[in-house]
Amino acid sequence: MTPQELSQAIRHALLATISDGALTLDVSDVPEHIHVERPRQREHGDWATNIAMQLAKKGGTNPRALAENLSRHLTDTPGISAVDVAGPGFLNITLDAAVAGELAKTIVEAGKTYGTSNTNKHKNINLEFVSANPTGPIHLGGTRWAAVGDSLARVLEATGARVCREYYFNDHGAQIDRFARSLVARARNEAAPEDGYGGQYIQDIADAVIAGASAAGDPNPLELPADECQEYFRARGVDLMFAEIKKSLHDFGVDFDVYFHENDLYTSGAVERAIKRLDDAGHMFTQDGANWLRTTEFGDDKDRVVIKSDGNAAYIAGDIAYYLDKRERGFDEIVMMLGADHHGYVARLQAVTAAFGDTPYKNLQILIGQMVNLVKDGEPVRMSKRAGTIVTLEDLVEAVGVDAARYSLVRSSVDSSIDIDLDLLAKQTNDNPVFYVQYAHARTANVARNAAAAGVRREDAFVPATLTHPTEAALIGQLTEFPRVLAQAAELHEPHRVARYAEALAGSYHKWYGECRVTPLGDGEVTDTHRTRLWLNDATRQVLANALELLGVNAPERM
């Protein structure tokens, strides 16, 4: 019996209690889905709910009396072996072992689809993440967004949503000019401008621009007039840098559906069209020669200049046009992932959402990510060999590999800063969370191989009533939780819940492995218990693989 099935059984018990007259509640007040959860103490049963405490007062009774009425109805439900009323009105429910064990076969037969749903099938989501400026390699903050964003996209897709992964290519503005001037300076063997960029990568790109010009038969760009020289380095330098960024992300297992160029908003007239739409709606005004958006009417702390008095667009102008562009492309939900330094942008962007007549925090959702720090030998790692001033995606992958990098970046909530211990991630011990989970999967595969060698075949028998050991009940309970965890991770946009679930499942599996054998000792007889345990082993293997796939991490067969 799944949590969803149990939820419906409790709902039917509520309806029966209303029908009996023991609960004076309108049927419309009965929730469609009754929340059930795993009790913290195993002896309290398989599942618990406080629904009696939620509805008793409104239904004209007290919680314990309602719980006792529900208990009588639930006790007769097939698959439920016991229902206990605890405290002021908690219901603790124990499932029949055979019914609980049926889940193993359900999972194996469902395969990769176990845990997935169509909950979000009506959603068309634009998910924008990373979006690092094409002026240098991706730093650790961007690397965190690459791992979390891609995992979130996978989680949302697993619940039925249509997801467009989008990278906002910042190729408009002062930072690109500084990048171009830095390339020219390095090509001339001069010091970088005071506000420019440093690091070996600038030298590498400058050399590549010169080499590319020679290979193409172009004049030496350093001999061009100053403006033409800078434009030559800008155009080719940005292309080279962005090609490197794309390759780094691809090697990290992250690819995008759309690479949107910021400059297109200005060359296409999208900025002007968006501003006109807001002006037609009465949300713009002119003051001191500048055009302003009345964002204070929509919760911002001050109104925002959109077109400055010199006629140039302020930064928010591009944000306004970009939001409208996404909505006009048919996305009903826009999710943006921004770094901690963008916290002040949230209110103004939500105000823009409202100014267009949309619903803040629904049509537009903004996730703010905190800092990532690398630690080695107990000391912070502060500088990249290549970038000079920052630690990059490539530095992290070189140190620990893609799997450990992705897992370690996803397993914590994005609103908390994290320290990544390079020494820990290099260890093949249970203290290393990614090793702990991957080893559990490899162990399930090894058990399956040993079972085949011993003649233990799933196809010969499945008797779920034999799964009576306490570690089997605990493991089945963890497997039951996966659909709920996945749905919650999608709803809250928190893929770290999948990683923490995988660790808990691995823990339950390792305990079960230490207590229950799938193959007989020596020349012992193969029994239905062995065969049924193989189903449970393979069900765990499938769920671990499904969870790791959502995180973009490999599920190894051997370690």
Side-chain angles (χ1 to χ4, degrees):
M1 178 177 285
T2 67
Q4 293 81 3
E5 291 168 340
L6 179 58
S7 171
Q8 288 305 300
I10 297 170
R11 188 173 190 274
H12 289 315
L14 278 166
L15 296 176
T17 305
I18 292 173
S19 179
D20 293 344
L23 184 65
T24 56
L25 198 68
D26 192 276
V27 172
S28 63
D29 291 325
V30 178
E32 288 294 326
H33 301 283
I34 310 299
H35 178 68
V36 295
E37 60 186 7
R38 301 288 293 179
R40 293 184 179 180
Q41 295 178 295
R42 179 68 186 87
E43 59 268 23
H44 289 172
D46 295 310
W47 297 98
T49 181
N50 65 350
I51 189 64
M53 300 170 69
Q54 295 177 31
L55 298 181
K57 184 176 180 180
K58 191 172 184 179
T61 185
N62 67 73
R64 189 169 180 91
L66 175 55
E68 288 171 349
N69 273 299
L70 293 175
S71 174
R72 284 192 287 273
H73 288 290
L74 287 169
T75 301
D76 297 331
T77 302
I80 294 178
S81 64
V83 182
D84 297 317
V85 178
F90 289 101
L91 282 171
N92 292 327
I93 302 168
T94 302
L95 302 181
D96 179 85
V99 172
E102 285 284 350
L103 181 69
K105 189 173 186 181
T106 298
I107 292 171
V108 171
E109 291 176 345
K112 291 184 177 181
T113 65
Y114 178 69
T116 63
S117 69
N118 289 318
T119 305
N120 291 315
K121 66 180 180 180
H122 61 288
K123 290 186 178 181
N124 190 17
I125 301 173
N126 180 283
L127 178 60
E128 181 202 336
F129 59 105
V130 184
S131 296
N133 290 339
T135 54
I138 297 175
H139 57 71
L140 277 184
T143 306
R144 186 180 194 180
W145 278 140
V148 173
D150 186 62
S151 293
L152 177 56
R154 294 168 186 242
V155 165
L156 291 169
E157 287 171 338
T159 57
R162 297 181 301 280
V163 181
C164 174
R165 297 164 173 81
E166 185 150 320
Y167 189 116
Y168 188 50
F169 185 75
N170 300 89
D171 56 350
H172 180 88
Q175 79 278 0
I176 299 297
D177 292 334
R178 294 197 298 272
F179 177 65
R181 285 189 279 108
S182 301
L183 293 176
V184 173
R186 190 59 63 90
R188 296 186 187 280
N189 294 318
E190 299 171 354
E194 187 174 338
D195 62 348
Y197 298 92
Q200 181 59 40
Y201 78 95
I202 292 291
Q203 182 70 65
D204 295 340
I205 292 175
D207 291 344
V209 171
I210 296 293
S214 176
D218 293 342
N220 185 339
L222 295 175
E223 297 174 358
L224 296 172
D227 288 349
E228 294 181 29
C229 175
Q230 182 169 318
E231 174 57 25
Y232 193 97
F233 275 90
R234 185 203 66 77
R236 287 153 183 80
V238 166
D239 285 347
L240 288 167
M241 187 71 256
F242 200 49
E244 285 197 23
I245 290 173
K246 285 183 178 180
K247 183 179 185 305
S248 295
L249 289 168
H250 176 77
D251 292 344
F252 197 55
V254 179
D255 293 292
F256 290 84
D257 303 302
V258 172
Y259 292 94
F260 191 98
H261 289 256
E262 179 185 9
N263 200 51
D264 289 347
L265 295 170
Y266 295 88
T267 58
S268 68
V271 170
E272 290 82 357
R273 290 195 301 273
I275 293 172
K276 184 178 185 304
R277 180 161 168 177
L278 292 173
D279 191 32
D280 291 343
H283 301 316
M284 300 289 298
F285 68 96
T286 302
Q287 181 178 304
D288 300 328
N291 292 336
W292 300 65
L293 176 62
R294 289 192 180 90
T295 52
T296 53
E297 292 185 358
F298 306 102
D300 198 4
D301 61 340
K302 62 181 180 180
D303 294 327
R304 303 290 172 175
V305 174
V306 178
I307 301 296
K308 296 182 283 189
S309 58
D310 62 5
N312 290 319
Y315 190 84
I316 196 174
D319 291 333
I320 291 169
Y322 190 35
Y323 174 79
L324 182 61
D325 179 86
K326 288 179 178 179
R327 292 289 281 130
E328 289 179 339
R329 279 188 275 150
F331 298 109
D332 44 62
E333 189 173 306
I334 296 165
V335 181
M336 296 175 62
M337 296 183 162
L338 303 176
D341 56 336
H342 287 76
H343 193 276
Y345 284 69
V346 175
R348 73 188 69 171
L349 291 176
Q350 296 297 353
V352 168
T353 302
F356 279 119
D358 290 339
T359 304
Y361 303 99
K362 181 179 178 183
N363 294 113
L364 175 64
Q365 300 172 45
I366 300 174
L367 306 182
I368 299 293
Q370 299 301 321
M371 297 294 293
V372 181
N373 303 302
L374 289 191
V375 178
K376 184 172 178 59
D377 300 326
E379 297 293 329
V381 178
R382 299 191 181 280
M383 190 172 293
S384 166
K385 293 178 182 178
R386 181 165 181 260
T389 57
I390 57 172
V391 180
T392 68
L393 184 158
E394 288 85 352
D395 296 323
L396 179 58
V397 169
E398 181 180 354
V400 300
V402 171
D403 282 349
R406 285 189 64 130
Y407 192 95
S408 61
L409 289 167
V410 174
R411 72 183 293 265
S412 297
S413 172
V414 296
D415 58 11
S416 62
S417 298
I418 55 175
D419 292 331
I420 295 181
D421 189 331
L422 298 180
D423 298 316
L424 175 63
L425 292 179
K427 293 179 180 178
Q428 293 195 346
T429 68
N430 288 341
D431 293 330
N432 177 353
V434 66
F435 174 83
Y436 188 64
V437 175
Q438 287 186 313
Y439 182 64
H441 183 272
R443 177 171 268 180
T444 64
N446 188 56
V447 167
R449 287 192 294 270
N450 290 340
V456 180
R457 290 163 29 94
R458 281 200 324 248
E459 296 80 1
D460 291 340
F462 177 63
V463 186
T466 62
L467 301 176
T468 57
H469 194 277
T471 60
E472 290 172 327
L475 181 55
I476 291 167
Q478 283 289 351
L479 294 170
T480 304
E481 284 279 83
F482 184 56
R484 183 191 64 80
V485 171
L486 178 51
Q488 194 171 53
E491 178 185 0
L492 300 177
H493 294 169
E494 294 181 344
H496 73 273
R497 292 175 179 271
V498 176
R500 296 300 175 139
Y501 167 81
E503 292 168 32
L505 177 58
S508 294
Y509 178 77
H510 288 311
K511 290 177 182 176
W512 173 76
Y513 176 88
E515 295 286 341
C516 299
R517 293 191 60 84
V518 172
T519 56
L521 286 170
D523 296 327
E525 179 186 358
V526 175
T527 68
D528 287 348
T529 299
H530 295 119
R531 300 181 185 100
T532 306
R533 283 176 175 169
L534 180 58
W535 281 93
L536 183 55
N537 177 83
D538 292 355
T540 306
R541 178 182 181 184
Q542 185 64 64
V543 176
L544 285 168
N546 290 358
L548 288 169
E549 173 66 23
L550 291 169
L551 302 173
V553 175
N554 287 308
E557 299 287 315
R558 289 180 169 84
M559 288 182 71

